[in-house]
């Protein structure tokens, strides 16, 4: 079965760092883009950025460039989304998804940033 | 960056009716790299349509996509109770950023 499994929910304080993960299985991880999508509470989907694990080609939305870092470790079929200094406004559900049109989605990771 | 504008914001319809959702791009979407997604509360989005008009695996044929250039449409021919949800379009033809529309909510009238 093709699937993406994301790491669990996180509760953090402002200023802390965080790295969440997305593990692919059931397909060739290096042959498909993996994208990250933010959904703030009660809001729509926002495309954050995308990585091609085969060569680590990475692109970012201008809205998220410099705010997050996307990476991947193809040896363990896992993509990552990380923050160096979280803000309360980073509170959201984060999804990873496969491909250019996102045909497979992870279950989502809820990130809560609160003092 | 291509901006996608979806209309209407909310569509109030009854089961069995036809739903027509619009997605307009601020500039031409190359090679019709336009997708549609459905999202229900508490769930991850699901791909319905890619390449503007191709149904994803397992998607019922009451869902259809059309359009090219800057104007795209998702049509649900006869609404089933499980189709009431939020729908998003996304363009993935214009590198480096691939944007979503703001969504259309299809609600029960």
């Amino acid at each position: 079965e093709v699937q993406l499994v994301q790491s669990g929910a996180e509760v953090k304080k402002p200023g802390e760092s965080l790295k969440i993960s997305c593990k692919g299985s059931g397909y060739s991880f290096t042959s498909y883009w993996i994208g990250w999508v933010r959904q703030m509470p009660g809001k729509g989907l926002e495309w954050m950025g995308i990585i091609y694990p085969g060569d680590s080609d990475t692109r970012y939305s201008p809205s998220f460039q410099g705010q997050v870092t996307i990476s991947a470790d193809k040896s363990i079929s896992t993509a990552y989304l990380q923050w160096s200094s979280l803000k309360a406004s980073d509170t959201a559900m984060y999804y990873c998804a496969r491909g250019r049109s996102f045909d497979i989605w992870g279950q989502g990771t809820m990130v809560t940033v609160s003092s | 960056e291509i901006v996608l504008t979806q209309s209407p914001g909310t569509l109030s319809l009854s089961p069995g009716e036809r739903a027509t959702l619009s997605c307009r791009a601020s500039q031409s979407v190359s090679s019709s790299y336009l997708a549609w997604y459905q999202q229900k509360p508490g769930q991850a989005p699901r791909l319905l349509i890619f390449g503007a008009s191709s149904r994803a695996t397992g998607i019922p044929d009451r869902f259809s996509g059309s359009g090219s250039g800057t104007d795209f449409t998702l049509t649900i021919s006869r609404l089933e109770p499980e189709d009431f949800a939020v729908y998003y379009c996304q363009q993935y033809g214009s590198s480096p950023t691939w944007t979503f529309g703001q969504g259309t909510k299809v609600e029960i009238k």
Side-chain angles (χ1 to χ4, degrees), chain B residues 22-103:
Chain B
S22 173
C23 176
R24 179 161 291 177
S26 59
Q27 53 189 285
S28 184
V29 176
S30 62
S31 303
S32 293
Y33 286 149
L34 193 287
W36 290 93
Y37 302 87
Q38 176 193 67
Q39 188 180 32
K40 298 178 182 179
Q43 296 184 17
R46 176 174 71 146
L47 177 67
L48 300 174
I49 301 288
F50 64 95
S53 60
S54 298
R55 270 188 302 276
T57 303
I59 301 304
D61 61 7
R62 64 180 181 273
F63 290 93
S64 63
S66 62
S68 63
T70 60
D71 288 293
F72 298 88
T73 301
L74 174 70
T75 302
I76 310 171
S77 58
R78 292 173 310 280
L79 283 164
E80 297 287 341
E82 62 268 27
D83 298 337
F84 292 92
V86 181
Y87 293 83
Y88 296 94
C89 59
Q90 179 212 16
Q91 68 82 19
Y92 55 100
S94 171
S95 187
T97 62
W98 303 336
T99 47
F100 286 100
Q102 82 279 17

Side-chain angles (χ1 to χ4, degrees), chain A residues 33 37 39 43-47 50 59-63 95 99-108, chain B residues 1 33 35 37 39 42-47 50 88 90 92-102:
Chain A
W33 293 88
V37 177
Q39 188 166 39
K43 302 298 183 183
L45 306 176
E46 299 175 89
W47 191 90
I50 202 161
R59 295 125 190 247
Y60 293 92
S61 164
S63 299
Y95 293 102
R100 299 182 69 191
S101 60
F102 293 148
D103 62 345
I104 302 293
W105 290 69
Q107 82 278 18
Chain B
E1 176 178 297
Y33 286 149
Y37 302 87
Q39 188 180 32
Q43 296 184 17
R46 176 174 71 146
L47 177 67
F50 64 95
Y88 296 94
Q90 179 212 16
Y92 55 100
S94 171
S95 187
T97 62
W98 303 336
T99 47
F100 286 100
Q102 82 279 17

Side-chain angles (χ1 to χ4, degrees), chain A residues 5 10 13 21 26 29 39-40 55 68-69 72 77 89-90 94-95 100 102:
Chain A
V5 178
E10 301 275 1
K13 294 185 179 346
S21 66
F29 185 74
Q39 188 166 39
M40 300 176 78
D55 61 7
V68 296
T69 301
S77 300
S89 57
D90 293 318
Y94 293 87
Y95 293 102
R100 299 182 69 191
F102 293 148

Side-chain angles (χ1 to χ4, degrees), chain A residues 9-28:
Chain A
E10 301 275 1
V11 180
K12 291 289 191 179
K13 294 185 179 346
E16 291 186 330
S17 63
L18 176 64
K19 192 174 190 177
I20 63 175
S21 66
C22 169
K23 183 173 176 60
S25 62
Y27 72 99
S28 174

